[in-house]
Amino acid sequence: MQASTAVLPCRPGVMPQRLRILCSAVVLMATCLLTGPAMAHGDVVPQSVNTSTLPQLGEKWLPANPFSEGPAHAEALRIGTSAYNQNCARCHGLEAISGGIAPNLRKIDGDCMDLADQAKKMACYKETDEYFVGTVRRGRVRDGRVYMPPFEGILNQEAIWSIKTYLETRREP
C-alpha cells in the first residue's frame, strides 16, 4: 500500500514551483481586489480650507447661506468648488455627480425648486440649508458606523457655506 502525501495549497516547499507562482499570483490579485475599493476614496482625513478672502461670519451659525448671492458669491463659489473637491468629492462624486456611495447632493434642495409660492420656496431653502449645515458639522452615524465624518472644528462657517454655494450651482433641473 502506498502512503499518500497531502499537499496543502500555497504551502512553500511542498508543491512544484509553477503552482507556487500561481498561488502567489492569486493571493496578490485577491489583495489588490480587496484593498482597491478602500484606496479608491483616497485620504479620508478632512482638509481645512482657507477662507480668509471671504467676509468673516462670526461665531454664531447663520440659518441660511449668506453667499447664495451678493458681492462675495464669486469668491465663495471659487473656494467652495475647491473645498468640495478636497473634502466631499471622494464620496459624493466629482462635480457632485454621485456614484451611489453617498447621497446625490445635486438633489439636496430639489423639492424646493418646484414650489410656486415664493415664501414657501424660501422657507424650504432655509430648512435645507439648516439640514445641510447640521449634517456637515456633526456628520452622520448609523448603528455605530460613521457614514460621514463630522467637519466641525475643521471647516469653519465660511467654508461650509462656500461648499453649499458650489452645490447650488450643481442643482439638477
Side-chain angles (χ1 to χ4, degrees):
M1 185 145 115
Q2 186 176 357
S4 72
T5 311
V7 177
L8 298 174
C10 299
R11 189 171 157 201
V14 177
M15 66 184 87
Q17 178 70 19
R18 286 185 185 190
L19 191 53
R20 276 197 304 261
I21 292 171
L22 179 62
C23 284
S24 296
V26 168
V27 169
L28 179 63
M29 286 175 49
T31 302
C32 289
L33 288 173
L34 293 174
T35 59
M39 299 297 284
H41 290 292
D43 183 6
V44 294
V45 175
Q47 304 295 309
S48 62
V49 176
N50 181 356
T51 59
S52 62
T53 56
L54 287 172
Q56 299 304 292
L57 302 174
E59 294 296 314
K60 185 175 181 195
W61 284 83
L62 301 177
N65 187 355
F67 303 133
S68 286
E69 52 189 35
H73 177 79
E75 182 64 2
L77 180 56
R78 183 189 70 76
I79 291 170
T81 302
S82 175
Y84 176 88
N85 287 326
Q86 290 173 29
N87 291 291
C88 313
R90 67 181 53 95
C91 294
H92 292 282
L94 293 175
E95 297 185 17
I97 300 170
S98 177
I101 294 172
N104 185 342
L105 297 178
R106 294 177 301 154
K107 297 180 178 185
I108 193 167
D109 51 13
D111 292 342
C112 305
M113 294 174 61
D114 294 333
L115 295 173
D117 184 301
Q118 195 62 22
K120 287 182 180 179
K121 184 181 242 181
M122 297 316 294
C124 182
Y125 281 133
K126 182 178 179 281
E127 184 177 303
T128 302
D129 283 351
E130 289 171 351
Y131 175 79
F132 175 80
V133 167
T135 299
V136 175
R137 288 175 68 191
R138 292 181 282 286
R140 284 283 175 234
V141 176
R142 191 175 324 132
D143 298 327
R145 291 180 296 216
V146 176
Y147 284 81
M148 180 173 158
F151 285 85
E152 187 154 41
I154 296 158
L155 297 180
N156 62 19
Q157 180 171 200
E158 294 81 9
I160 293 173
W161 285 126
S162 293
I163 292 169
K164 181 67 167 69
T165 300
Y166 167 71
L167 291 173
E168 289 170 0
T169 69
R170 302 296 305 146
R171 286 179 179 139
E172 277 193 345

